[in-house]
Amino acid sequence: DMIAIAISDLKRFVETNPDAEKKLRAFVGRLAQFQFSRLGWDARPGEPEEDTELRATILGCMVYAEDPDVLAEAIHRFQATPPEQLNPELRSVIMTAAVRYSGDVHVIDRLLDLYQSTSSSDLKSDITNALTSTRDNGAIARLLKLLSDTKTIRPQDTISWYVGLLRNREGRDATWRWLREHWPWIEKTFGSDKSHDYFPRYSANILATRTQLDEYREFFTPLKSSPALTRAIDMGILDLSGRIELLERD
């Protein structure tokens, strides 16, 4: 778990450097290979609970490493099994691999339809994680339009979709722009809700460039007059400034 957290933080350092990112992916693949060979895809009878929980982490590392055999198997499992029947421990990893790497234009439609029809909150969460990882600009634009469609995405789930798209490097600029353009809708929808300050808070946790820091300051500073947002914005500026200094230094 600690290694996985370290890998997640290291990804920030290579986002703008394709050569370094390629090396990090390869390193993560080598690091996870032993455990992947030991655990495989399927649980063995009587295996320790720790192994069952570790499998998803290791497969996530192998997907990040873009191991061709792992990607092929994940896509095969997605195509061969209805998502609701996939192993819940591995479902998010499998669906994410299918969304990012299958090249099947119908995957987005299939998962959106299931998202609207299922009553399972766990399945909805896994679908959100998978869909917001898409690398397709057209799909990103489509998902951003749905953020304010409360018939498709309930307001209590909007922040999860927003955070997922903002974490997605391919979708970050468009998602950050969406927030600033749709702030009146956010105010109207969440102004009296305790999740109101999630938007500046999570934005600061994910944005990572000096340009974005300048945009964050410019957009949110006038909103500090709202007592519900003041602390989140002040902490956001400190958090974002510190992260940028760390990224630039190291």
Side-chain angles (χ1 to χ4, degrees):
D1 287 345
M2 294 305 298
I3 291 172
I5 291 171
I7 290 169
S8 179
D9 285 343
L10 284 169
K11 292 176 184 178
R12 295 180 181 270
F13 289 89
V14 300
E15 280 192 335
T16 58
N17 188 326
D19 290 338
E21 183 176 49
K22 184 177 180 180
K23 291 178 181 178
L24 181 60
R25 289 184 188 274
F27 174 72
V28 170
R30 293 194 300 273
L31 196 63
Q33 182 62 55
F34 172 78
Q35 292 292 353
F36 173 65
S37 298
R38 183 178 73 84
L39 295 169
W41 279 89
D42 300 305
R44 299 180 302 278
E47 74 174 14
E49 183 179 349
E50 290 82 357
D51 282 356
T52 303
E53 294 176 350
L54 179 61
R55 184 173 287 106
T57 300
I58 294 301
L59 283 170
C61 287
M62 297 300 286
V63 168
Y64 173 72
E66 297 182 340
D67 181 277
D69 292 336
V70 171
L71 293 180
E73 177 64 18
I75 293 168
H76 167 72
R77 289 182 179 232
F78 177 80
Q79 294 172 339
T81 308
E84 59 270 31
Q85 296 178 20
L86 289 168
N87 179 350
E89 295 282 347
L90 307 182
R91 184 170 57 207
S92 181
V93 173
I94 290 172
M95 293 194 302
T96 296
V99 168
R100 284 185 66 83
Y101 298 105
S102 71
D104 183 351
V105 296
H106 301 297
V107 169
I108 302 293
D109 290 332
R110 178 181 173 189
L111 290 179
L112 277 175
D113 288 343
L114 180 58
Y115 181 86
Q116 293 178 77
S117 63
T118 184
S119 60
S120 168
S121 59
D122 288 339
L123 182 54
K124 282 181 178 288
S125 177
D126 289 342
I127 292 172
T128 301
N129 291 337
L131 286 176
T132 56
S133 74
T134 180
R135 299 187 294 180
D136 182 79
N137 289 331
I140 290 169
R142 179 181 177 188
L143 295 178
L144 286 172
K145 287 182 179 180
L146 292 177
L147 286 185
S148 55
D149 177 2
T150 55
K151 291 183 179 179
T152 302
I153 299 175
R154 300 176 302 174
Q156 58 262 44
D157 297 327
T158 302
I159 191 65
S160 297
W161 285 82
Y162 172 74
V163 168
L165 286 165
L166 197 65
R167 282 179 176 155
N168 180 351
R169 180 178 59 197
E170 287 83 0
R172 186 169 302 149
D173 288 343
T175 305
W176 174 226
R177 186 167 56 251
W178 176 90
L179 176 129
R180 289 172 287 164
E181 292 174 351
H182 288 77
W183 190 256
W185 176 82
I186 291 172
E187 286 277 4
K188 180 180 178 181
T189 307
F190 302 98
S192 60
D193 191 89
K194 63 180 181 179
S195 64
H196 189 202
D197 70 348
Y198 287 178
F199 291 94
R201 185 187 307 173
Y202 286 119
S203 297
N205 287 340
I206 298 169
L207 299 176
T209 69
R210 287 216 168 265
T211 297
Q212 290 166 350
L213 171 59
D214 291 341
E215 292 169 345
Y216 186 96
R217 278 200 180 105
E218 179 183 1
F219 180 75
F220 279 117
T221 297
L223 301 176
K224 288 169 62 176
S225 57
S226 170
L229 299 178
T230 304
R231 177 171 171 76
I233 294 170
D234 285 339
M235 293 301 296
I237 292 172
L238 286 173
D239 181 31
L240 186 48
S241 300
R243 185 180 320 108
I244 291 169
E245 290 174 5
L246 173 67
L247 293 173
E248 290 176 348
R249 185 180 70 238
D250 297 339

